[in-house]
Amino acid sequence: MSKRNEHTPNQTCLKQRGTMLSSIKLPIVIRAEINLVLVVLTALGVFSRLYGIHFPKAVVFDEVYYGQFVSLYMKRVFFIDESGPPLGHMILAFGAYIGGFDGNFIWNRIGAEYSSNVPVWSLRLIPALAGSLSVPLCYILVVELGYSHLTALGATLLFLMENSLIVQSRFMLLESVLIFFLLLAVVSYLRFHNSQSSSPWRLVWLLLTGVTCACAVGVKYMGLFTYLLLLGLAAVHMWQLIGDRALSNSVILVQVLTRFLALVVLPLLLYLGFFYVHLTLLYRSGPHDQMMSSAFQASLEGGLARITQGQPLEMAYGSQVTLRSVSSKPIPCWLHSHKANYPIRYENGRGSSHQQQVTCYPFKDVNNWWIIKDPGRQDLVVSSPPRPVRHGDVVQLLHGMTSRFLNTHDVAAPMSPHAQEVSGYIDFNVSMPAQNLWKVDIANRETEQEVWKTILSEVRLVHVKTSAVLKLSGSALPEWGFRQLEVVGDKIYKGYQPTGVWNVEEHRYGRSQEQKERELELHSPTHIDINRNLTFMAKFLELQWRMLTVKQETSEHKYSSSPLDWITMDTNIAYWLHHTGNAQIHLMGNLVTWSLGNLALMGYLLLFLSYLLRRRRKIEDIPEDTWRQLLLAGVVCAGGWAVNYLPFFMMEKTLFLYHYLPALTFQILLIPVVLEHVHTHVLRCTSHRRALHGAVLAGLSSVYLTFWKFSPLTYGHPELSAEQLDSLRWKDSWDVLFRRH
């Protein structure tokens, strides 16, 4: 027999390892390209924004506004801010959290000195970092638009030396955070658009675009404008892709679906997520509770929840209730009556019924209690088992403390003569019969036999005889009515109006038939410790609606301004003034940069219109790729300026100079873009190009000198003399304050 070559398992393993080791080539080298210019610019951005951010150790302008919300986050207390979504506040609160802030500081005035427990550097750190990282993003954005690194350097230097952007990023404010997300969103989309279809990073850039767009909108609603601009740009690119016959239908379908999910669905889910975190963190009752519905208030720990938890859910004949107006305008209030009658005659000579006043009272009070009575029975207690009150039932409402029935009749209301007076009926034996029957109309019912429920049901009370709806008019009564709010019977009520809808906020089953016993019962608390929660979506929809509909402050502010004042920087804002010296900080832009930005915008429009007209005449001055590059730069830079500036002309709110900063950012990027195009495609003569070089150097030098000149007002030091400050009033409209010693 012949012998076979046999190898032991160990020999086989050693042979395989030897083969593997021999295939590895040494040394293993990793090569990386580092843009030193970008590194230096980033370092300068960090230095210019973070240098001395602990100074001044006092409340600076809108820090007094955002600081209140940060303190409430630290204490987990619910609040509502109608000016924007919660992500920005949560970012500022995170900065406070990493600094160990306990929330104990009274944010009551600008200039108040911070106490030792307030980590000033931590509160201002994240906005400063966002402002710092925006510097390299400007460089990358211009490069992604297809322009040279020299042009990107010019754009970044202009952004770096813009005094207003530095000031806004050095304090606990949100504009620098917003600008960071806007720039990152644009850069991410351009990276996605410019990447090869086979690149594994392409999907990452698309997803990052959706994430940053959601973050921009989540910081401030202003971010929505740039988000819509990017959606429009993506739609145009998608339309061009659909026209590519080289791609199959399945590939195009996948592309459309991917972009829709990344740019629409993902931002929507993230936006909901911001509110979910917000509502999860703020679970305690707070000062803004009364702006929300009774159901929302009852879902919070403390406050109304301590009163309403564990109440009977279903109304029954004999139930004792307080009725809150669903409308919170002008203020939240409860149906109320008291031992005072309407005057026999009003100031204008009109007569009244002289019956007991019924009003809407903006405070919790024992006179807010009413008893739901069956018109066919005399009982004022809940039977066993309870008889529920359903949609369509006719009831009487008896005032708990005065035993007067809720009544309305054909007598003009005191402040709203077109509507009926609502009163507590008194039988004066003057041929004025009681009209106190009311039909229960559950507005948000799911079935026609639905039971009237505590907190959850929104109810209209329709007067049986006149078909008038019990409604809050919103007018305040005179002194004889104790300045309480008028309640009327509205015969022309149509559709759903929050002023004509009520919900039961506090509820107990009545047990006392006698008046004196019933009064003692009404004075007792209704607390039973059982939990009742709203779903997240119900709370989100209510909170979002309140944020969008709450009337915002429109009164004039000392430093408010109109959008027209921003273009030429005719206004400034004094952010902080030293209480004894001349040290001060102003939101004031670099006047040279702002002027160059306006010129660049006009120059771009002239270039665009001239090219457009000549191309219409079949005269093509520039290559097609250059024309597309110019269009893309216009959409991003000029379009970014327009969508972040023009909407302010339609806003009825108090406006400030800092609202212009996102638009200014895109305008600054347009300056070197226009200059490069003019240099490369417009100027043909060498001498003209050299003249442009000289003008660019002179412009950058002027920008730097202006930045340095106004740096004491940007950083708050060194302190200038009165004469030096007076020399900085380059415009008569600028408000530069100083003390003469």
Side-chain angles (χ1 to χ4, degrees):
M1 293 179 63
S2 62
K3 294 184 178 180
R4 293 175 296 174
N5 290 330
E6 295 182 357
H7 300 280
T8 63
N10 288 338
Q11 290 175 326
T12 304
C13 184
L14 288 172
K15 185 176 181 180
Q16 291 175 346
R17 288 179 182 176
T19 304
M20 291 174 60
L21 290 173
S22 63
S23 64
I24 298 176
K25 296 182 180 180
L26 297 177
I28 300 174
V29 178
I30 298 177
R31 292 183 175 86
E33 292 184 358
I34 299 176
N35 188 331
L36 292 179
V37 173
L38 190 58
V39 172
V40 172
L41 289 172
T42 304
L44 290 174
V46 171
F47 178 78
S48 63
R49 271 67 176 172
L50 268 72
Y51 168 69
I53 60 170
H54 61 280
F55 177 85
K57 197 175 181 181
V59 179
V60 175
F61 201 64
D62 271 355
E63 285 187 339
V64 73
Y65 175 74
Y66 292 113
Q68 298 174 38
F69 299 136
V70 169
S71 287
L72 292 174
Y73 265 117
M74 296 299 102
K75 298 177 179 180
R76 303 294 190 266
V77 173
F78 173 78
F79 68 85
I80 176 174
D81 176 22
E82 70 278 4
S83 68
L87 178 61
H89 299 312
M90 288 192 289
I91 289 173
L92 297 180
F94 178 71
Y97 173 77
I98 62 178
F101 181 45
D102 56 10
N104 292 319
F105 183 77
I106 301 175
W107 310 84
N108 57 355
R109 65 181 179 88
I110 298 172
E113 294 290 328
Y114 284 123
S115 55
S116 58
N117 69 304
V118 181
V120 180
W121 67 271
S122 178
L123 293 176
R124 298 170 177 170
L125 176 63
I126 296 181
L129 287 175
S132 304
L133 295 176
S134 296
V135 174
L137 285 176
C138 288
Y139 185 98
I140 299 171
L141 193 154
V142 175
V143 172
E144 290 298 323
L145 286 174
Y147 291 89
S148 68
H149 287 269
L150 187 60
T151 298
L153 174 62
T156 311
L157 289 175
L158 292 174
F159 185 89
L160 182 67
M161 295 185 290
E162 174 49 46
N163 300 69
S164 60
L165 294 172
I166 296 175
V167 170
Q168 199 68 15
S169 64
R170 288 173 52 79
F171 302 107
M172 189 175 54
L173 307 171
L174 287 178
E175 273 65 33
S176 63
V177 180
L178 173 63
I179 291 170
F180 167 76
F181 283 126
L182 294 180
L183 291 174
L184 185 55
V186 175
V187 167
S188 300
Y189 181 77
L190 292 176
R191 278 280 175 94
F192 160 75
H193 178 66
N194 294 333
S195 298
Q196 297 293 329
S197 58
S198 59
S199 173
W201 287 97
R202 199 162 189 262
L203 181 59
V204 174
W205 290 117
L206 182 63
L207 292 174
L208 185 59
T209 304
V211 170
T212 48
C213 284
C215 291
V217 178
V219 169
K220 282 201 167 189
Y221 285 128
M222 288 171 57
L224 181 64
F225 305 138
T226 305
Y227 173 48
L228 294 176
L229 179 68
L230 284 179
L231 279 183
L233 186 60
V236 171
H237 289 158
M238 193 67 251
W239 185 252
Q240 294 172 348
L241 192 67
I242 292 174
D244 188 351
R245 299 297 298 273
L247 299 176
S248 65
N249 293 338
S250 59
V251 170
I252 291 177
L253 181 62
V254 169
Q255 289 286 342
V256 171
L257 184 61
T258 302
R259 297 182 195 207
F260 178 77
L261 292 174
L263 299 180
V264 178
V265 177
L266 178 60
L268 180 60
L269 294 177
L270 287 173
Y271 186 77
L272 289 172
F274 301 149
F275 277 88
Y276 182 82
V277 176
H278 175 73
L279 292 171
T280 302
L281 291 174
L282 306 184
Y283 59 87
R284 292 175 178 162
S285 173
H288 294 179
D289 288 12
Q290 289 195 355
M291 298 175 68
M292 310 305 293
S293 69
S294 301
F296 195 105
Q297 293 180 56
S299 70
L300 299 172
E301 179 183 296
L304 181 63
R306 291 184 296 177
I307 301 173
T308 60
Q309 287 175 355
Q311 294 179 148
L313 178 62
E314 296 183 346
M315 296 301 110
Y317 291 104
S319 286
Q320 299 171 355
V321 300
T322 63
L323 291 164
R324 182 181 189 267
S325 173
V326 170
S327 173
S328 59
K329 298 178 180 180
I331 51 176
C333 63
W334 292 262
L335 189 66
H336 177 92
S337 189
H338 43 242
K339 292 182 179 180
N341 295 354
Y342 291 110
I344 296 177
R345 290 196 178 277
Y346 301 122
E347 291 80 354
N348 59 8
R350 285 193 300 112
S352 78
S353 67
H354 194 48
Q355 296 196 1
Q356 185 168 298
Q357 297 174 18
V358 173
T359 65
C360 205
Y361 189 52
F363 302 98
K364 293 186 180 298
D365 187 89
V366 70
N367 282 314
N368 297 346
W369 284 95
W370 298 82
I371 300 170
I372 302 175
K373 180 181 175 298
D374 185 344
R377 297 192 178 192
Q378 296 302 315
D379 294 342
L380 297 177
V381 297
V382 176
S383 61
S384 182
R387 292 188 300 121
V389 181
R390 301 180 183 275
H391 168 74
D393 286 356
V394 175
V395 302
Q396 292 174 311
L397 290 172
L398 182 74
H399 188 242
M401 298 302 291
T402 63
S403 296
R404 303 294 184 190
F405 284 105
L406 185 70
N407 186 85
T408 188
H409 42 211
D410 192 17
V411 176
M415 309 305 295
S416 307
H418 59 280
Q420 294 181 174
E421 175 194 87
V422 175
S423 64
Y425 180 73
I426 303 174
D427 187 3
F428 287 125
N429 196 23
V430 289
S431 301
M432 187 176 287
Q435 299 183 37
N436 53 28
L437 298 179
W438 300 85
K439 181 180 178 181
V440 176
D441 179 15
I442 302 177
N444 60 340
R445 66 185 180 276
E446 295 181 358
T447 67
E448 291 302 311
Q449 294 297 313
E450 183 159 329
V451 176
W452 185 1
K453 296 183 179 65
T454 307
I455 293 178
L456 303 177
S457 295
E458 296 184 350
V459 172
R460 286 184 287 254
L461 293 170
V462 183
H463 191 238
V464 171
K465 185 169 184 179
T466 65
S467 299
V469 174
L470 186 72
K471 178 181 175 182
L472 170 67
S473 75
S475 300
L477 297 171
E479 288 293 339
W480 55 257
F482 311 102
R483 301 291 180 185
Q484 296 176 18
L485 299 177
E486 181 190 44
V487 174
V488 301
D490 187 0
K491 296 181 69 173
I492 59 174
Y493 181 97
K494 293 182 179 180
Y496 179 93
Q497 301 176 31
T499 52
V501 181
W502 307 80
N503 70 275
V504 171
E505 188 171 89
E506 297 180 64
H507 176 209
R508 60 154 65 89
Y509 283 166
R511 303 298 182 191
S512 304
Q513 183 73 27
E514 298 296 326
Q515 175 69 19
K516 290 189 178 296
E517 295 178 1
R518 189 164 64 246
E519 289 181 10
L520 292 174
E521 186 177 7
L522 293 174
H523 277 94
S524 63
T526 60
H527 171 51
I528 306 176
D529 192 14
I530 303 176
N531 192 26
R532 180 186 295 134
N533 290 320
L534 281 180
T535 64
F536 161 69
M537 283 305 299
K539 294 174 73 174
F540 164 75
L541 292 173
E542 179 178 347
L543 179 56
Q544 183 68 87
W545 177 249
R546 294 293 185 197
M547 291 171 64
L548 295 175
T549 57
V550 168
K551 182 176 177 60
Q552 298 187 6
E553 183 62 46
T554 57
S555 60
E556 287 297 317
H557 187 280
K558 179 180 179 180
Y559 291 110
S560 63
S561 54
S562 70
L564 288 176
D565 296 328
W566 304 341
I567 299 178
T568 53
M569 211 182 76
D570 287 335
T571 183
N572 70 301
I573 304 176
Y575 268 17
W576 171 80
L577 303 171
H578 194 276
H579 62 282
T580 59
N582 277 330
Q584 51 194 278
I585 295 174
H586 289 255
L587 181 68
M588 184 180 290
N590 190 311
L591 190 57
V592 177
T593 303
W594 289 49
S595 301
L596 292 175
N598 294 331
L599 291 174
L601 186 63
M602 290 186 289
Y604 179 84
L605 291 176
L606 289 174
L607 285 171
F608 173 75
L609 291 175
S610 63
Y611 283 137
L612 194 64
L613 289 173
R614 291 173 68 81
R615 289 173 70 86
R616 184 64 177 169
R617 299 290 297 170
K618 307 302 180 183
I619 303 173
E620 297 186 0
D621 303 277
I622 55 176
E624 186 66 24
D625 289 344
T626 303
W627 169 244
R628 290 181 179 177
Q629 181 190 40
L630 189 66
L631 284 180
L632 182 60
V635 170
V636 172
C637 299
W641 173 85
V643 299
N644 284 288
Y645 173 63
L646 298 180
F648 285 107
F649 285 95
M650 298 178 286
M651 293 185 183
E652 296 181 358
K653 59 179 291 187
T654 305
L655 300 174
F656 296 93
L657 181 62
Y658 55 73
H659 286 121
Y660 187 59
L661 296 184
L664 174 68
T665 298
F666 288 102
Q667 191 182 43
I668 288 174
L669 299 181
L670 189 62
I671 299 172
V673 166
V674 171
L675 288 174
E676 179 178 324
H677 183 86
V678 170
H679 178 273
T680 307
H681 300 285
V682 176
L683 300 180
R684 306 296 183 183
C685 180
T686 304
S687 59
H688 291 169
R689 290 183 175 180
R690 288 177 179 172
L692 181 62
H693 296 165
V696 169
L697 289 176
L700 282 174
S701 300
S702 300
V703 169
Y704 172 75
L705 291 174
T706 305
F707 159 74
W708 186 256
K709 180 76 172 176
F710 285 91
S711 61
L713 300 184
T714 301
Y715 293 94
H717 56 80
E719 182 177 347
L720 301 180
S721 65
E723 291 73 18
Q724 290 173 318
L725 287 170
D726 192 37
S727 69
L728 293 179
R729 291 189 72 238
W730 289 7
K731 290 196 171 188
D732 293 336
S733 56
W734 289 357
D735 187 15
V736 180
L737 308 175
F738 52 85
R739 297 178 175 88
R740 294 188 183 275
H741 297 292

